Amino acid sequence: MRKIDSLRQVLSTSIEDLAKSNERLRVWMDRGTVQCRQTATFGFAMAYRVNVLLMDMTTDIASIGYVICAWLRINQPDLLTPGKDAFALDLDVLDNGKYDALIQIDLKQNVTCALNAQGKMQVDYLPEPEPLFADDLPFPGLDAVPVLKAVSVSGDGQIAPFDPAA
């Protein structure tokens, strides 16, 4: 599932806690459905909830929210409609410096199928449509994958890059 893999990659490379210790990240899918279409391409859509469990985190939760919202602008922009909930968030505060977080995002992935030159069915994940308006474009300077190289919060609350190799 392309979106799940992309989200995992962005989180594990952009969030300092996860870049240093990737075993703090668990990702799984549930509540999945498939919407079939009677088209010549045998296309269908998969709708599902992706669950992201972050354990023993010290990174400010706002930084994680920022990374996910930046990822959503490219991968599921309809969730950023004003007044609509982009994702659900539950926190378990372990002590004054650590927490566990469960993030749940309802995603949809469109798929098309076609016979290739060898007569076998080829499945392709379709990208999100191009934005209709210039203000729907991704944040300046952000590529589709990865969304960010890294992000952390400084002592004064400013979001700043960090060196994941450190």
Side-chain angles (χ1 to χ4, degrees), residues 56-133:
D56 292 325
M57 299 296 291
T58 60
T59 300
D60 188 291
I61 193 63
S63 295
I64 295 168
Y66 169 79
V67 170
I68 293 172
C69 287
W71 181 87
L72 287 171
R73 279 189 73 112
I74 296 164
N75 294 281
Q76 196 73 46
D78 61 298
L79 292 181
L80 300 179
T81 303
K84 183 175 184 176
D85 294 338
F87 56 88
L89 172 65
D90 292 308
L91 290 179
D92 181 12
V93 179
L94 304 175
D95 61 35
N96 287 338
K98 288 187 179 178
Y99 63 89
D100 291 344
L102 176 62
I103 298 164
Q104 297 178 311
I105 311 169
D106 292 324
L107 298 177
K108 189 175 217 176
Q109 180 68 63
N110 291 307
V111 178
T112 187
C113 306
L115 290 175
N116 63 19
Q118 293 78 31
K120 295 183 180 180
M121 193 60 72
Q122 180 173 330
V123 176
D124 290 312
Y125 291 91
L126 298 175
E128 290 298 313
E130 292 294 321
L132 294 176
F133 305 103

Side-chain angles (χ1 to χ4, degrees), residues 8-26:
R8 177 190 293 275
Q9 178 189 8
V10 166
L11 289 171
S12 64
T13 58
S14 301
I15 305 298
E16 186 172 9
D17 284 344
L18 302 176
K20 291 180 178 178
S21 181
N22 205 4
E23 64 272 358
R24 294 178 179 183
L25 173 64
R26 299 283 188 266

Side-chain angles (χ1 to χ4, degrees), residues 155-166:
D156 61 358
Q158 298 295 312
I159 294 176
F162 79 96
D163 181 3

